[in-house]
Amino acid sequence: LAGTSLEPLLILPPEPGHAFPPTISSVAVSPGRGRVAVAASDGKLRILEPAEEGRAAPHRSFDVSAVQVCRFLDDGRLLLGEMTGELALLDLEEGRELYRRQLEYDPVYDLAVSPGGDRVAVAFRSSRIQILEAESGEMVRALEGHRDSVYDVAWLGEDALVSGSKDKRVLFWDLDAVASTPR
C-alpha cells in the first residue's frame, strides 16, 4: 500500500445519531503486504486493499463484535481477539468464521503468530498467556508468570516468547523448557 504518511488510508465518519466517529482498536497488515485490516468500536472490521494512484480502497467489511486486536494468519485469514475473551479465525475470501473459541472471560489484549504460522500466542488482561494451534484454536499450553495484565507478546523464533505486562516486567519464555517458567 503506497502513499505518504500524511495521506489517510481510511477516515471513519460518525455513525448516524452519534457525535463522534468510532475509535480504531487494531490495525494489521497481511504477510504479503496487500491488505490492511482495521477493527473499530462500531463493530465493523474493514479490509483495505491497494487501489489506483497508491491509495487504499475498501475491499470488504464484516460485522464483528468487540474486537480488541486483529492479526493476519496469512493473506486470506485473520485472527480476531475479542473483549469477551474469545478468539476467532475469519476466512476473508469466503466471509465466514472458521472457528470461534472462548479462551477466557477477560479481554484478549494481544495476539502474535509464530514465525512458522502454526501457533498463536494470546495475551490476556488476566495476566495469562495461552499458546494455541493456529489452524484449530486448540490450546497447546498456558503460561503463567506475570502478576498483572499482559499487554504485549512477541515470538523470538519458534520456541521462545517475550511478553510485557502492567506488572512492569518483561519476561522471556523458553517453550522447550519442561515447565515453561519465565526467565
Side-chain angles (χ1 to χ4, degrees):
L1 295 171
T4 69
S5 61
L6 299 177
E7 293 179 29
L9 294 176
L10 176 68
I11 298 175
L12 299 179
E15 293 182 342
H18 291 87
F20 299 101
T23 58
I24 295 171
S25 59
S26 186
V27 174
V29 178
S30 66
R33 308 276 192 254
R35 289 182 169 165
V36 174
V38 180
S41 63
D42 61 358
K44 299 276 187 205
L45 175 70
R46 295 159 177 89
I47 307 299
L48 308 176
E49 290 189 346
E52 294 180 25
E53 301 173 11
R55 297 183 189 260
H59 169 67
R60 201 164 192 181
S61 179
F62 298 94
D63 290 323
V64 293
S65 57
V67 173
Q68 178 73 14
V69 60
C70 59
R71 298 287 182 260
F72 279 93
L73 184 56
D74 52 39
D75 286 334
R77 296 179 297 167
L78 189 69
L79 289 159
L80 306 174
E82 301 185 2
M83 293 296 293
T84 59
E86 292 179 302
L87 179 74
L89 181 60
L90 182 65
D91 183 314
L92 299 176
E93 303 308 320
E94 295 183 15
R96 66 180 183 93
E97 282 186 4
L98 298 173
Y99 66 75
R100 175 173 290 276
R101 301 278 185 270
Q102 182 74 53
L103 303 176
E104 294 209 7
Y105 291 101
D106 281 317
V108 173
Y109 274 1
D110 195 25
L111 300 171
V113 177
S114 67
D118 59 331
R119 293 178 291 168
V120 60
V122 184
F124 297 92
R125 182 175 73 185
S126 67
S127 78
R128 286 186 288 279
I129 299 167
Q130 289 185 22
I131 308 299
L132 309 171
E133 291 292 333
E135 293 291 330
S136 67
E138 297 298 320
M139 186 167 70
V140 174
R141 68 187 335 157
L143 305 176
E144 296 191 26
H146 281 293
R147 299 178 188 134
D148 211 330
S149 303
V150 181
Y151 289 134
D152 203 8
V153 64
W155 290 89
L156 297 170
E158 285 296 330
D159 296 311
L161 291 170
V162 63
S163 59
S165 168
K166 186 177 179 182
D167 67 9
K168 300 169 185 63
R169 299 184 312 150
V170 173
L171 299 180
F172 172 82
W173 305 88
D174 181 352
L175 300 180
D176 285 336
V178 176
S180 289
T181 53
R183 288 194 273 167

